[in-house]
Amino acid sequence: MDMAWQMMQLLLLALVTAAGSAQPRSARARTDLLNVCMNAKHHKTQPSPEDELYGQCSPWKKNACCTASTSQELHKDTSRLYNFNWDHCGKMEPTCKRHFIQDSCLYECSPNLGPWIRQVNQSWRKERILNVPLCKEDCERWWEDCRTSYTCKSNWHKGWNWTSGINECPAGALCSTF
């Protein structure tokens, strides 16, 4: 696990170095790309150790933008963090859900997303990440693990029916495989 963590840090450093010549799109200075937390709903203001990070969020325990309670919530079928139900079209395959949980852990916990942080004007966050690179092998594995799971939307960022307090498929939307 430590070797994988070191490789991920080296990859991020290489990506940050490569992105250094690009003009930043947010107010952050180029020197402020690593070891920074987003200005978002559940993020800490500064990264720090979190020895009790849960499950798939544990790789960030040495320096995290999330708390232990946030990491525990990310592993629930319907988390209190965003009231998002992974199983909105029936039970999502555990191997598929693992990828979405890992993505959520990266978003909430990583202090190394500076190159992809963009300012937004939303009531619940001032910043988000956009265009974070994904390795081809990870993308292919995610697809393989999720191809038999179901969803009713192609864009999970908007258009849900929230009248019950959790995300539900909009009227007329049909569940189909990813």
Side-chain angles (χ1 to χ4, degrees):
M1 184 66 95
D2 284 333
M3 182 63 140
W5 177 245
Q6 289 171 345
M7 291 301 291
M8 187 170 76
Q9 287 178 321
L10 287 173
L11 174 63
L12 281 170
L13 184 58
L15 289 170
V16 168
T17 303
S21 61
Q23 198 70 350
R25 294 185 200 156
S26 73
R28 293 190 190 279
R30 279 189 208 156
T31 57
D32 204 18
L33 294 177
L34 297 179
N35 203 37
V36 63
C37 296
M38 275 183 283
N39 184 358
K41 189 173 184 178
H42 300 289
H43 289 74
K44 299 188 304 190
T45 57
Q46 295 291 322
S48 61
E50 287 286 341
D51 292 338
E52 302 298 321
L53 288 187
Y54 182 77
Q56 290 176 247
C57 297
S58 64
W60 290 277
K61 69 181 179 182
K62 291 181 181 175
N63 199 33
C65 290
C66 65
T67 63
S69 61
T70 294
S71 71
Q72 290 173 345
E73 280 296 317
L74 292 174
H75 289 77
K76 295 181 177 176
D77 288 341
T78 303
S79 165
R80 289 182 298 132
L81 298 177
Y82 299 104
N83 295 326
F84 193 88
N85 178 17
W86 302 117
D87 298 328
H88 55 271
C89 275
K91 189 77 173 155
M92 183 183 280
E93 292 293 330
T95 54
C96 178
K97 193 177 298 182
R98 181 178 57 82
H99 293 280
F100 287 101
I101 292 170
Q102 191 68 43
D103 178 65
S104 297
C105 286
L106 175 75
Y107 172 80
E108 295 291 345
C109 301
S110 179
N112 298 316
L113 294 172
W116 303 282
I117 293 176
R118 302 294 179 256
Q119 292 182 326
V120 293
N121 187 13
Q122 296 174 323
S123 62
W124 55 284
R125 65 180 176 185
K126 301 299 176 207
E127 294 178 326
R128 66 171 290 190
I129 52 174
L130 192 62
N131 298 324
V132 177
L134 182 62
C135 294
K136 178 183 176 187
E137 296 81 13
D138 292 334
C139 184
E140 289 171 349
R141 182 85 237 159
W142 197 336
W143 163 249
E144 281 301 316
D145 290 343
C146 290
R147 64 184 175 83
T148 60
S149 289
Y150 288 80
T151 187
C152 58
K153 299 197 31 53
S154 61
N155 182 350
W156 284 11
H157 286 276
K158 59 184 178 180
W160 293 101
N161 175 358
W162 290 98
T163 56
S164 70
I166 62 168
N167 63 305
E168 294 180 350
C169 296
L174 300 175
C175 292
S176 61
T177 56
F178 280 89

